[in-house]
Amino acid sequence: MQGKQPLFSFGVISDVQYADIPDGRSYLGVPRYYRHSMLVLQRAVRNWNNPGKFKFAVNLGDIVDGYCPKEDSLKAVEKVVSEFEKFNGSVHHMIGNHCLYNLPRKDLLPLLKIPTLDGSAYYDFSPTPEYRFVVLDGYDISAIGWPQDHPKTLQALKILQEKNPNTDKNSPSGLVGLERRFLKFNGGISEGQLKWLDEILQDATKNGQKVVVCCHMPLDPGASSKTALCWNYDEVMEIIHKYDCVKVCLAGHDHKGGYYIDSYGIHHRVLEAALECPPGSDAFGYVDVYDDRLCLLGMDRMRSTEMVFNS
């Protein structure tokens, strides 16, 4: 295999969570470097532009932080988007919870140039005939981002009410095992989106395409903290496991990163967050795509991972 050229390559970054505020900490006490994350993004874009070999980049969500002062939200999002736009290829964004703390969907989606149907943010694209990328909207059912009286907001609040007895719906206190995912900063995939996913995977199978699924939230507990999982990750994976076409699931959200190969041979790679890089360090990378594997080459805190497919 040595010396074989990849079919194509693309850049990856996740959880930039920029804000023009002093450094802070997560609720677990992990340091967060809100201004430095912009420098990580700038270095990422320079890296992707340098060889000129990258077709596109994938941003796994959360470009601005929830602590960004609300009056600065629009300006902060525009600033990060303008940095991404310095990349010579196209950028495929997805929305995360922190994006939605700052701006409602109707404002956010046009800024991120996310193709939308009725305000949802799921879509697919094929960089080459051999591969298809499926971008899921993990906050399709969510207590954040939709108008307060929207059916999807009400559905999300009902799920949280049933599953999480805490007054603070972002607290997993008392929740056990996989139930710890029922937190307000997570969300779910709607029935309509599940049906769409099924149709896309049918089509990809028919066309002999390999599929990479991207979602802000992780879809397998083997690769992630239980508190970071998509609410109905099990329903999503049930559809994915019906087909042989899906090879890799990429996610962000769980800042420490993770990697797991599930019992069907699907590689789950959760990317390390740009936000948690101390000054001078980095977390971004690029992926070389071959017929039989994806090779993530990570910079600094983002671990490199070779993901070889089952035949």
Side-chain angles (χ1 to χ4, degrees):
M1 293 306 295
Q2 286 309 311
K4 189 179 173 192
Q5 286 299 304
L7 298 171
F8 61 93
S9 303
F10 64 96
V12 285
I13 196 166
S14 189
D15 299 86
V16 173
Q17 286 182 227
Y18 166 74
D20 189 10
I21 56 173
D23 296 341
R25 289 180 182 275
S26 73
Y27 67 99
L28 294 172
V30 180
R32 294 184 160 181
Y33 305 93
Y34 299 110
R35 291 183 177 123
H36 179 256
S37 67
M38 179 66 82
L39 301 179
V40 177
L41 173 59
Q42 288 168 348
R43 289 193 289 265
V45 170
R46 278 202 300 273
N47 176 278
W48 302 334
N49 279 340
N50 196 13
K53 70 168 188 171
F54 299 112
K55 255 183 142 42
F56 59 93
V58 173
N59 157 40
L60 275 294
D62 277 359
I63 60 172
V64 285
D65 194 82
Y67 281 125
C68 177
K70 292 301 151 272
E71 64 274 15
D72 298 337
S73 289
L74 179 59
K75 194 172 71 188
V77 170
E78 287 173 340
K79 187 173 175 177
V80 181
V81 168
S82 73
E83 288 302 328
F84 272 110
E85 285 177 347
K86 291 174 185 172
F87 171 51
N88 296 332
S90 55
V91 180
H92 299 279
H93 292 281
M94 59 209 76
I95 48 175
N97 50 312
H98 282 267
C99 307
L100 296 171
Y101 297 147
N102 280 278
L103 293 175
R105 282 173 172 266
K106 65 177 177 54
D107 298 340
L108 197 59
L109 270 52
L111 285 167
L112 297 176
K113 298 186 173 68
I114 292 177
T116 178
L117 186 71
D118 300 328
S120 288
Y122 54 87
Y123 60 98
D124 71 302
F125 64 97
S126 292
T128 64
E130 301 97 329
Y131 272 89
R132 188 181 284 197
F133 283 67
V134 173
V135 178
L136 298 178
D137 179 352
Y139 291 86
D140 201 5
I141 305 298
S142 170
I144 43 177
W146 296 104
Q148 287 289 278
D149 57 351
H150 195 283
K152 288 183 174 179
T153 309
L154 301 175
Q155 189 182 344
L157 291 170
K158 185 169 180 284
I159 290 167
L160 287 170
Q161 206 56 45
E162 286 170 6
K163 297 287 192 179
N164 187 335
N166 296 308
T167 314
D168 174 8
K169 298 300 179 194
N170 276 326
S171 167
S173 180
L175 300 180
V176 177
L178 289 167
E179 296 296 299
R180 292 171 69 80
R181 71 188 188 276
F182 291 105
L183 304 172
K184 193 177 176 181
F185 59 68
N186 296 329
I189 309 268
S190 66
E191 282 297 321
Q193 188 178 172
L194 290 171
K195 186 171 178 295
W196 170 85
L197 174 64
D198 198 39
E199 288 164 0
I200 291 285
L201 297 185
Q202 274 181 44
D203 189 60
T205 301
K206 195 175 77 198
N207 291 309
Q209 291 175 306
K210 296 179 176 73
V211 176
V212 177
V213 172
C214 304
C215 182
H216 179 62
M217 280 173 291
L219 298 172
D220 193 290
S224 163
S225 312
K226 294 176 179 66
T227 51
L229 290 165
C230 175
W231 288 345
N232 58 336
Y233 78 88
D234 46 347
E235 290 181 292
V236 178
M237 290 312 301
E238 198 175 317
I239 291 170
I240 287 173
H241 287 151
K242 278 169 42 181
Y243 303 94
D244 292 329
C245 57
V246 179
K247 302 300 177 187
V248 174
C249 294
L250 297 176
H253 195 48
D254 193 14
H255 293 181
K256 68 183 184 309
Y259 176 55
Y260 181 72
I261 306 173
D262 73 22
S263 58
Y264 288 75
I266 295 173
H267 299 261
H268 295 263
R269 182 67 173 87
V270 179
L271 301 180
E272 292 78 11
L275 173 68
E276 291 180 2
C277 293
S281 65
D282 281 313
F284 63 85
Y286 64 89
V287 179
D288 284 337
V289 179
Y290 298 88
D291 196 43
D292 63 340
R293 66 207 150 105
L294 259 59
C295 293
L296 166 61
L297 293 114
M299 303 295 157
D300 203 2
R301 293 168 67 91
M302 187 174 287
R303 294 186 292 278
S304 294
T305 314
E306 185 172 44
M307 297 170 263
V308 181
F309 311 152
N310 287 358
S311 56

